[in-house]
Amino acid sequence: MRFFSDNAAAACPEVMDALHAANHHDTAYDGDALSQKLDAAFSDLFETHAKALWVSTGTAANSLALAALCPPYGGILCHRDAHIQNDECGAPEFFTNGAKLILGEGEGAKLSADTVAAMLERVPDGVHWIQPKALSITNATEYGLAYTPDEVAALGAIAKDRKLGFHMDGARFANAVATLGCTPAEITWKGGVDVLSFGFVKNGGMSAEALIFFGHEAEARATLYRRKRAGHLLSKGRYMAAQILAMLKDDVWLRNARASNAGATRLAKAAEGRLVHPVEANELFLKVSQEEAAGLRAKGFDFYNWAPGEIRLVVSWDQRPEDIEALAAAIEAL
């Protein structure tokens, strides 16, 4: 009964069917018929012109996005618990050829507009100091909290005023949208987001993520070359596009996210009084002792030790209801 990571979940049936359907001869790289449909599909979803590129990992999506927005001599504002800071082995710095991450604080790994304004105020204007050139937020955050449209817009206003590129790491973007009940547009380009890393793998995809540019045609075109140079231009790109299109069709991406969110909400009810943060996506962070954690594992539950006295539980799109109920009962019995 694994609640370790949604990265370990199965690919959803629609994705597997789409891969089978795509298993025929077509143009190589991203010239195939399916890859050529991505721009229109995402433009429809976001209600604006969008340029979409597939990549094979979230790390590549984030790093290519930041390379498009920040020069090597610039700085990227992000939370100190952001994935780009703690879990990508220096890839953003590598892809940008040396840009510096400037770290901020905030409850639940969220940056507020006031925090970002204060971070900017602390940087002197001069050649001796790294000048901020981009802002990156994660929605939902590393602690499973969702930025609302108003929160995104407040950050977007600062980014626009200070001429910062605005990136959103959406590894669990679907979960945030499902929780908020808003349109994808309302928490992205309408709030000032320039580039979105749209996650699919955690939500039922197999090996495809999407990098979405809102406008910024020159940056999008340059990213085609960066993607090739980084080794992420797959020769059989149609299999990447097939996964993404299958999950966009009939809102499979939202269906899957709602399922994982619902499971997390059920566990949150069982864990009342133990939650480190509110549950707004498909992740839970619980206060438990070592003995309690060992007891849960002895009953067959797998999860991540997040911090001293704290564990992380992640509900996947395909988590079995009986496993969720069993874990809920085990938590209540602690």
Side-chain angles (χ1 to χ4, degrees):
M1 292 179 283
R2 305 200 69 186
F3 292 83
F4 187 84
S5 173
D6 41 10
N7 284 310
C12 66
E14 292 84 357
V15 164
M16 299 304 292
D17 290 345
L19 288 169
H20 180 73
N23 195 29
H24 57 79
H25 193 93
D26 202 335
T27 304
Y29 305 112
D30 58 0
D32 62 276
L34 294 175
S35 295
Q36 293 298 305
K37 292 180 179 180
L38 290 180
D39 288 354
F42 281 103
S43 294
D44 288 344
L45 180 65
F46 286 98
E47 307 170 75
T48 191
H49 174 69
K51 177 67 177 176
L53 290 73
W54 46 250
V55 293
S56 57
T57 70
T59 296
N62 288 338
S63 301
L64 287 168
L66 294 171
L69 297 176
C70 185
Y73 55 84
I76 301 161
L77 304 177
C78 67
H79 195 281
R80 68 171 54 257
D81 290 325
H83 206 79
I84 60 172
Q85 161 64 14
N86 292 339
D87 297 281
E88 291 181 343
C89 198
E93 295 91 333
F94 177 78
F95 275 67
T96 59
N97 290 313
K100 182 179 178 62
L101 301 185
I102 302 173
L103 309 181
E105 304 280 355
E107 186 68 19
K110 290 177 77 171
L111 289 175
S112 70
D114 288 344
T115 296
V116 171
M119 293 170 69
L120 292 167
E121 192 66 29
R122 288 194 294 269
V123 180
D125 183 12
V127 296
H128 301 290
W129 299 277
I130 293 290
Q131 298 300 305
K133 296 294 182 180
L135 168 64
S136 180
I137 64 172
T138 309
N139 205 12
T141 74
E142 292 300 297
Y143 280 102
L145 300 186
Y147 283 92
T148 67
D150 286 346
E151 290 170 331
V152 173
L155 291 165
I158 293 175
K160 182 178 180 180
D161 181 62
R162 293 296 297 264
K163 295 182 172 55
L164 305 176
F166 191 6
H167 165 249
M168 179 178 287
D169 176 353
R172 294 186 176 92
F173 181 73
N175 299 96
V177 173
T179 288
L180 295 168
C182 63
T183 67
E186 288 172 325
I187 55 167
T188 53
W189 66 270
K190 286 187 176 181
V193 172
D194 297 304
V195 188
L196 168 70
S197 303
F198 195 141
F200 287 93
V201 171
K202 288 179 170 65
N203 194 35
M206 176 184 286
S207 58
E209 310 278 39
L211 185 55
I212 313 299
F213 288 83
F214 303 107
H216 297 276
E217 295 291 333
E219 289 84 354
R221 180 166 178 77
T223 301
L224 294 173
Y225 294 90
R226 289 191 178 98
R227 181 178 63 172
K228 170 64 176 180
R229 184 171 179 261
H232 280 273
L233 180 59
L234 304 187
S235 59
K236 297 180 181 180
R238 63 186 179 277
Y239 295 104
M240 308 288 280
Q243 297 176 56
I244 294 169
L245 292 171
M247 292 189 68
L248 293 180
K249 185 179 179 181
D250 298 326
D251 287 338
V252 169
W253 66 286
L254 271 179
R255 180 203 70 191
N256 289 354
R258 287 170 180 148
S260 57
N261 284 4
T265 299
R266 170 67 185 98
L267 293 178
K269 292 179 181 177
E272 188 175 357
R274 292 180 178 271
L275 294 175
V276 179
H277 300 285
V279 175
E280 297 177 357
N282 65 323
E283 296 178 284
L284 303 90
F285 298 82
L286 307 185
K287 300 173 185 175
V288 299
S289 67
Q290 289 184 349
E291 294 75 18
E292 289 171 330
L296 290 174
R297 287 194 170 96
K299 293 180 179 179
F301 301 106
D302 182 28
F303 48 85
Y304 189 79
N305 288 333
W306 191 257
E310 185 179 326
I311 64 171
R312 184 189 75 168
L313 304 171
V314 184
V315 180
S316 300
W317 73 272
D318 62 344
Q319 207 85 48
R320 299 192 308 171
E322 56 266 36
D323 290 350
I324 294 171
E325 290 302 322
L327 179 53
I331 292 171
E332 288 171 341
L334 290 176

